[in-house]
Amino acid sequence: MTAALLFSAFALAAQHSQWSLRLGAGRIDRQDQIFSPFVQSGTSVQQLGLHWQRSARWEQFADINYSGFAATRFPVFDYTKKPEQETKTILPHTFTFVEINYGLGKKWQSGAYTFSAGGALENTVQAFNYQYGEASFFGYFAAFSLSPWLQISRPLGHKGHLKAAMSIPLMSWVARSPYLINDDEFIENAASHKGLKTFADFIQDGSLQFPDQLQKLSASLGYSYQLGQRWTAGVQYRFQFIRHTDPLTLLSYQNDLRVEIGLKF
């Protein structure tokens, strides 16, 4: 009897849910005045996302997104190191972005349109390696946010579906590289040489912030097509804007275009 009840609960939870794998390309245009006054730009095919969504009386979603970029202001070039007369190559900066998000909201119908609105926990961790010839600097930015979100969808054609969504954080725990890049506190945090401990110490040095310091917008537009009873295929465009002002201004514009394959349960 207990096993039957558990199975029934699982079956109800699985109804109207879908897993989607997203692969594609993206572009970053980023200015972080802690490291450079210049805009660093780059394109990449290292875009990967895994998305889960359950649509019933309530709308739920969870996703993991990864982006990797090589970015620079100038094309890669060689230089001569003196007095050794050794030829070296300037490497581009590397940016690694990871996001883990979960959202829950209420769903309602209006004509052909389906609306969903609610709250989301958005977790963004970004790591950077800025390369300047013989020197390189590590940097980080992390924001753990509580964000309202809105989603609008509607059928398009016989088997197509169009969906748009956006979210804006209202409050966030934000941790970012210090003004001096490698100050005493940064060195102390990294002294253990243990990845998780160092990461936790960096995050602990953050603070609770509001839209006067962090402005962030995540928006997407996607189209999916029903391939059969359970499979879908589609494409998604995603845009993210970040502006942060403490201790110096950070501006980031990220544009992604991903193909998607989905499996319904």
Side-chain angles (χ1 to χ4, degrees):
M1 181 66 177
T2 302
L5 289 174
L6 290 174
F7 178 80
S8 299
F10 175 80
L12 287 172
Q15 284 181 347
H16 309 293
S17 66
Q18 175 172 318
W19 286 93
S20 301
L21 179 65
R22 296 166 175 166
L23 301 168
R27 177 180 173 86
I28 191 73
D29 295 283
R30 185 182 187 88
Q31 180 194 44
D32 188 340
Q33 294 188 18
I34 290 177
F35 295 91
S36 171
F38 304 119
V39 176
Q40 313 295 336
S41 301
T43 57
S44 170
V45 293
Q46 299 181 50
Q47 306 293 311
L48 174 65
L50 183 63
H51 180 81
W52 170 81
Q53 186 156 351
R54 181 177 183 268
S55 182
R57 291 180 60 188
W58 291 83
E59 194 83 20
Q60 296 183 73
F61 69 86
D63 55 42
I64 301 175
N65 293 292
Y66 166 84
S67 302
F69 292 98
T72 183
R73 185 189 178 212
F74 304 103
V76 172
F77 62 90
D78 294 334
Y79 69 96
T80 301
K81 181 183 177 182
K82 295 182 179 181
E84 296 90 342
Q85 295 298 316
E86 182 181 358
T87 300
K88 295 196 171 185
T89 302
I90 290 286
L91 298 175
H93 313 306
T94 56
F95 302 156
T96 301
F97 303 160
V98 176
E99 295 179 51
I100 302 176
N101 307 313
Y102 171 77
L104 175 66
K106 186 65 176 176
K107 186 174 74 171
W108 70 94
Q109 194 80 23
S110 179
Y113 292 89
T114 301
F115 294 84
S116 301
L121 297 174
E122 298 184 322
N123 306 292
T124 301
V125 177
Q126 303 182 347
F128 325 111
N129 281 292
Y130 282 84
Q131 306 286 343
Y132 295 105
E134 294 292 293
S136 64
F137 300 98
F138 171 78
Y140 63 91
F141 171 84
F144 305 93
S145 306
L146 179 61
S147 308
W149 62 273
L150 173 66
Q151 177 181 281
I152 306 172
S153 63
R154 63 155 296 163
L156 190 63
H158 180 57
K159 295 184 177 182
H161 207 82
L162 195 65
K163 183 187 298 181
M166 65 175 293
S167 63
I168 300 175
L170 292 182
M171 66 178 181
S172 309
W173 184 269
V174 181
R176 189 176 166 200
S177 294
Y179 174 73
L180 296 177
I181 303 177
N182 294 336
D183 65 0
D184 291 345
E185 193 167 11
F186 178 96
I187 295 170
E188 182 180 348
N189 288 338
S192 68
H193 301 287
K194 297 178 180 178
L196 288 178
K197 184 180 186 306
T198 299
F199 173 74
D201 289 339
F202 285 157
I203 299 306
Q204 186 177 345
D205 286 341
S207 61
L208 186 63
Q209 299 182 11
F210 298 93
D212 60 326
Q213 291 176 289
L214 173 67
Q215 298 93 50
K216 180 184 173 191
L217 167 66
S218 299
S220 64
L221 178 64
Y223 171 79
S224 62
Y225 185 82
Q226 193 75 33
L227 297 177
Q229 186 175 358
R230 298 180 65 184
W231 291 93
T232 64
V235 62
Q236 184 200 55
Y237 165 73
R238 185 169 181 266
F239 170 77
Q240 188 174 87
F241 165 77
I242 298 174
R243 180 179 183 268
H244 187 249
T245 58
D246 183 25
L248 292 174
T249 299
L250 160 69
L251 286 171
S252 177
Y253 300 86
Q254 183 177 346
N255 294 272
D256 299 331
L257 185 63
R258 302 179 180 183
V259 294
E260 172 184 284
I261 184 73
L263 178 61
K264 292 185 176 181
F265 293 92

